[in-house]
DNA sequence: TATGTATCGAGAATAATATATTGATATATA
DNA sequence: TATATATCAATATATTATTCTCGATACATA
């Protein structure tokens, strides 16, 4: 296995790696020890070559005729994505979205441990949500500094997001996961990821609109699927 | 204004349009009637040419030396993205993420009206969340068909997502907004948008890991910002 | 009226990404 | 041992997205 990692990996690749990870973990449970790009590609509707390129970018190599060792790929992806060493995060904004994220247990498997939540609302401060303490917002910068927290998650309304980002940066946070529909202004070395649901919705509804225009009354009846039963 | 719309618009463009929309709405409130690509680009940290191209793709044109008429751009984006005509949606999975989405009032401004939620859990069925009824999952296909609902939002656990998708498709749904961390298998004409938080998290933590490796102890103290006050 | 300037618009050049092609390698089988 | 085959690896091509360049236009000002 090649341990040399390329300096930069493209965003699309980065977002596909968790898909492979998820699928391969399933295979591991079924005790399938090796897997080919072709198999992965078929399962996930991706080009096999692309899968191979992505794995290569993550520093993972396989063997001709054999494929990739499932466990090694899972391990390699986790290592490459930094899921091995858990980093602590603060979540700011204990509204509905914030609460939902606090309840996501699986984040910890991906190396993200939300250690505390912050909110402006005194009614929420002091309570616990999904087992995480909700603290007063004015403690944010100071605590981030003292606890050396490196990741901040912003789930406050748009108008407050910039101020929260400033507070996080002042506290030494290096990466921000922003759920507010605004572009944050931060120093260059801070990593910001925007999770803007309105943007996603936009592309969805635009495509739907076009599809409907092209084909208003889709003949779904012809290919009616069974009524699904939920296991 | 050019009313000819190109057949396909790139995904990145589609995701930038809401940003412009948001910013321009602010300008509208300040009664700024015209705006240039340069201004938009500076505000959102984007290349002015790209802004121009995006607006062009949405069928919006401006005037040299003047810029774009703010109101016309806002209107044009809304029209192009299909926000003008509201479509109804079903949300499946009234867990924490589902509840959060049910509370997003602003979706309606973007043309998305969630009319009902569905859940497998009998304890949730019959109750209301954020004013929306929670119905039994086995009613999903039938109701989607009878109400001609075209959009489905999936916020169930990964293992149940495919079955829910099947049920939605059987009910005639044309677009699916999928929050479960799986790739759904659907007929070709169905539009699927994956909102996979684990994927986003992956790229965030990978970048953070690289940044920390390159520069473990960032000298943030030098450029310490003020402790932000939240208005 | 003439000139300067800020802006849009369109097309070309560059960069990024995805796909296709070819070659190398390890295993299985005859 | 020789051959066939499935697979990875590396390179080349095609596609897409972004950025750059230049010309056209409309207003401001002298």
């Amino acid at each position: 296995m090649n341990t040399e990692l390329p300096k930069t990996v493209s965003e699309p690749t980065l977002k596909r790696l968790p898909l492979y990870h998820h699928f391969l973990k399933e295979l591991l449970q079924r005790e399938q020890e090796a897997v080919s790009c072709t198999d992965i590609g078929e399962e996930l509707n991706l080009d096999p070559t692309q899968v191979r390129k992505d794995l290569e970018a993550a520093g993972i190599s396989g063997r001709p005729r054999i494929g990739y060792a499932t466990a090694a790929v899972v391990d390699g992806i986790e290592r490459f994505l930094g899921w091995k060493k858990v980093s602590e995060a603060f979540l700011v904004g204990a509204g509905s979205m914030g609460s939902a994220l606090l309840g996501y247990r699986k984040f910890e498997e991906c190396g993200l441990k939300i250690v505390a939540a912050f909110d402006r609302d005194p009614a929420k401060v002091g309570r616990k949500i999904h087992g995480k303490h909700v603290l007063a917002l004015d403690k944010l910068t100071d605590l981030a500094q003292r606890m050396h927290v490196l990741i901040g998650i912003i789930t406050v309304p748009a108008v407050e997001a910039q101020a929260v980002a400033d507070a996080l940066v002042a506290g030494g946070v290096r990466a921000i996961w922003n759920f507010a529909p605004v572009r944050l202004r931060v120093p260059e070395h801070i990593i910001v990821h925007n999770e803007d649901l309105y943007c996603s919705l936009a592309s969805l509804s635009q495509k739907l609109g076009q599809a409907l225009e092209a084909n208003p009354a889709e003949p779904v009846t012809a290919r009616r699927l069974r009524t699904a039963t939920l296991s």
Side-chain angles (χ1 to χ4, degrees), chain A:
Chain A
M1 177 157 311
N2 176 18
T3 51
E4 294 296 329
L5 298 184
K7 274 156 283 293
T8 55
V9 176
S10 79
E11 190 80 14
T13 295
L14 234 32
K15 295 207 166 178
R16 278 188 298 265
L17 286 173
L19 293 182
Y20 308 148
H21 182 265
H22 184 262
F23 172 52
L24 294 189
K25 274 217 135 181
E26 263 180 36
L27 291 187
L28 263 191
Q29 285 186 340
R30 285 189 248 140
E31 295 182 2
Q32 186 178 326
E33 291 178 359
V35 63
S36 72
C37 288
T38 319
D39 294 342
I40 300 177
E42 251 166 43
E43 172 71 21
L44 301 170
N45 278 318
L46 293 168
D47 189 280
T49 313
Q50 184 163 67
V51 176
R52 207 173 300 131
K53 283 250 182 284
D54 289 341
L55 294 182
E56 187 194 345
I60 297 162
S61 57
R63 288 195 320 177
R65 175 80 210 202
I66 305 298
Y68 293 88
T70 318
V73 177
V74 168
D75 185 78
I77 292 178
E78 286 179 1
R79 189 137 28 107
F80 181 70
L81 294 179
W83 290 2
K84 289 282 188 169
K85 42 184 187 309
V86 173
S87 9
E88 301 189 324
F90 278 167
L91 182 145
V92 189
S96 52
M97 177 58 74
S99 303
L101 296 182
L102 287 173
Y104 266 44
R105 290 259 166 276
K106 267 182 67 184
F107 281 159
E108 302 207 1
E109 291 172 29
C110 307
L112 185 82
K113 184 181 167 111
I114 304 177
V115 289
F118 293 80
D119 204 286
R120 197 181 51 168
D121 183 0
K124 284 176 184 161
V125 171
R127 301 177 61 177
K128 275 182 143 191
I129 296 178
H130 288 116
K132 310 276 167 64
H133 283 287
V134 180
L135 309 175
L137 196 50
D138 50 27
K139 303 265 198 323
L140 177 56
T141 297
D142 185 49
L143 266 177
Q145 219 157 36
R146 278 166 36 198
M147 295 177 66
H148 298 102
V149 167
L150 296 178
I151 300 179
I153 305 172
I154 297 181
T155 48
V156 298
V159 287
E160 298 174 19
Q162 183 60 57
V164 169
D166 293 344
L168 285 168
V169 171
V173 156
R174 298 284 296 275
I176 293 177
W177 200 6
N178 175 37
F179 285 77
V182 284
R183 261 14 182 200
L184 300 173
R185 299 202 159 275
V186 295
E188 249 185 37
H189 64 284
I190 305 289
I191 299 156
V192 177
H193 257 61
N194 295 297
E195 203 71 49
D196 193 332
L197 295 183
Y198 298 105
C199 290
S200 297
L201 176 57
S203 70
L204 183 71
S205 61
Q206 199 274 343
K207 285 184 187 168
L208 177 61
Q210 284 214 332
L212 291 177
E213 213 167 282
N215 194 354
E218 185 70 22
V220 277
T221 45
R223 60 167 89 202
R224 176 83 49 78
L225 301 179
R226 75 193 176 286
T227 302
T229 54
L230 296 181
S231 57

